Structure formats: structure tokens, C-alpha cells
Amino acid sequence: MSDAIAISEDAVLGGRLRLRQPTSGHRAGHDAILLAAATAARPGDRVVDLGAGVGTAGLALARRVGGLALTLVEREPYLASLARDNADANELPAAVAVLDVAAEAAAFAAAGLGPDSVDVVLMNPPFHDDARHRASPDAARATAHMATATTLEIWTHAARRMLKSAGVLTLIWRADAVGEVLAALARGFGSVAIQPVHGQAGKPAIRILVRAVKGGRAPTQIWPGVMLNEAAGAPSEDIRRVLEGQGALALAGPLNGDRV
């Protein structure tokens, strides 16, 4: 990793997790913590965090659920190196694979992530529409944030290939593009559950958390929304506890028989 990259050390989960990350570019935020809090996993599960960056979501999940066999997949070597450092510093065992999500199946298999081998995948793909948002002049931030027409298809394909039958995918995406998510999940996934995330009570959702099961057959469900802030603008007590690592979201609950 280049010495020219400035690094900060930051506390998340109310100090339960400490992360070294670049001071510029894509940085740990609420999206990654909400994703981890919405992910259903059990001790012993083999879990993959796709596009892990410095490991925020995967390590936050590992802090909540002990005994995971966690792999952090990140294509940028300097971020992958930080993810490895963060796993070690927080004493959370994790493998790190320097791998592009769009890589062929053989590359995933060479990294130990062959077809039908994983119980849980979580992912926070780039989701801003480049037709509606101006890309950041920071190349790393732009790459991490801006979606293309095939982003969801590529990422869900990689997840579907790795997951075992009845394996679970959890992702976070823009709320105004829920149709894109459902279309991407139509091949190979079912038992979809959606939980909207609202920046403020009484306002439209800004994000959706989505859980889907490989081969699932249950009907799609929409769960009560998450309110980051109350109508008066103050953080809600429930979400404060989640962001501080003291609780999980509804999507992280039992899967009603899809996993056996």
C-alpha cells in the first residue's frame, strides 16, 4: 500500500469496532452498518462480504455473530490490505480475497469461493445512477458509488453462483430503484424480504435493505421501515442501538424454514 495514501483510524459500532481507512474516497458509513445489522447469519456459517472495502460490513456482522467463516472480497489491493489489518486488529478471523466481483468463476474458485459453497453473502454495491448523479472527482469514491446498467446483474450473479441452495443474500440499494433489485433477483432467488430505510419519519425511503434466498419460494414481503431519525430530526433510540452494535434489524431474524 502506498505511503501517499492518508489513513485514519475510526471507531464504529459505538467503539466495538475500530477501522483503519483512507481519509478520502469511500468511507465507512451507516449503509454498511445497516447491511450488517440486516444480515441473517449463524455461528458456523460461511459468509462472504462482496466489495468489502476495508471490511466494515463483514466485520460488523462478525462482531455480532461469533464463529463465522468470513471472507472479505475486495478488488483494490490497498483496501484489501486494510481489511486484513482491520480483521487482525479487532481479533475477528477473516480471509481476504483480492478479487473483482465481475471475475470469472475460475478466479473465485481459485480464491476458495467455488460454486455452491457459501451460506451467506452480503453486499453494498455501487448504486448511484450516473445519469442522475455527478460522479465524484475522487476516482476511488466514484468507483465505489456509481452504478452501471449491469452492476446489479453482475453482483447478484456472483452471489448466486457462490451460494448453496437456500443460501441467503442480503444487500442495500437505492429505494427509488426497487424494481431494478427485484428484476436482478428474479433469476435464481425467491423469498424476497424488503425493509425500507427512511432518513426521517414521514419522508420517503432513501434506501432498501433486501434479503433473498437462493431457490426460495415464499412470496415477497415488505417489512416495517427503519427510521434513522424521528420527525423532529433526533436519532431514534432503536436505530441508535443498532448503529452502536447493540441490536439487529428485522431482516436478520429467522428465515421461516428456507434454511434447514
Side-chain angles (χ1 to χ4, degrees):
M1 185 168 53
S2 171
D3 293 336
I5 299 173
I7 301 297
S8 65
E9 183 171 321
D10 304 290
V12 299
L13 295 181
R16 292 173 172 80
L17 189 67
R18 299 197 67 85
L19 299 174
R20 297 183 70 239
Q21 58 182 332
T23 57
S24 63
H26 182 63
R27 288 171 56 80
H30 285 176
D31 284 358
I33 302 304
L34 292 172
L35 174 62
T39 298
R42 304 176 296 198
D45 278 348
R46 191 170 191 211
V47 177
V48 173
D49 180 0
L50 274 183
V54 301
T56 308
L59 295 176
L61 175 61
R63 180 61 80 208
R64 175 169 62 84
V65 182
L68 300 178
L70 174 65
T71 300
L72 306 172
V73 173
E74 172 53 48
R75 75 176 185 177
E76 299 293 345
Y78 79 98
L79 293 178
S81 178
L82 285 172
R84 187 175 292 107
D85 291 346
N86 287 333
D88 292 344
N90 287 280
E91 299 182 343
L92 294 169
V96 178
V98 182
L99 189 62
D100 194 317
V101 174
E104 297 293 332
F108 275 82
L113 300 172
D116 307 310
S117 65
V118 170
D119 300 294
V120 175
V121 172
L122 64 159
M123 64 189 198
N124 179 11
F127 55 58
H128 287 310
D129 183 351
D130 60 5
R132 298 169 56 192
H133 294 81
R134 179 177 296 178
S136 169
D138 183 293
R141 182 181 290 271
T143 299
H145 286 182
M146 304 305 292
T148 70
T150 59
T151 295
L152 263 178
E153 179 183 348
I154 290 168
W155 285 61
T156 55
H157 174 72
R160 182 175 59 248
R161 186 176 59 215
M162 281 188 292
L163 283 167
K164 300 174 182 176
S165 178
V168 180
L169 168 64
T170 305
L171 64 93
I172 188 167
W173 195 258
R174 301 190 333 265
D176 64 1
V178 61
E180 297 174 13
V181 175
L182 293 175
L185 295 174
R187 181 183 172 194
F189 288 99
S191 304
V192 176
I194 301 170
Q195 188 166 29
V197 178
H198 301 258
Q200 187 170 329
K203 301 290 186 180
I206 56 174
R207 301 282 187 269
I208 49 171
L209 292 157
V210 182
R211 184 183 73 197
V213 178
K214 183 176 177 178
R217 296 185 178 183
T220 297
Q221 299 177 335
I222 299 179
W223 289 62
V226 174
M227 304 296 168
L228 298 182
N229 296 287
E230 304 290 0
S236 69
E237 179 62 20
D238 288 346
I239 202 63
R240 182 192 65 78
R241 288 178 55 80
V242 167
L243 295 176
E244 292 184 356
Q246 300 177 41
L249 296 174
L251 292 192
L255 296 173
N256 299 322
D258 276 311
R259 292 179 69 196
V260 296

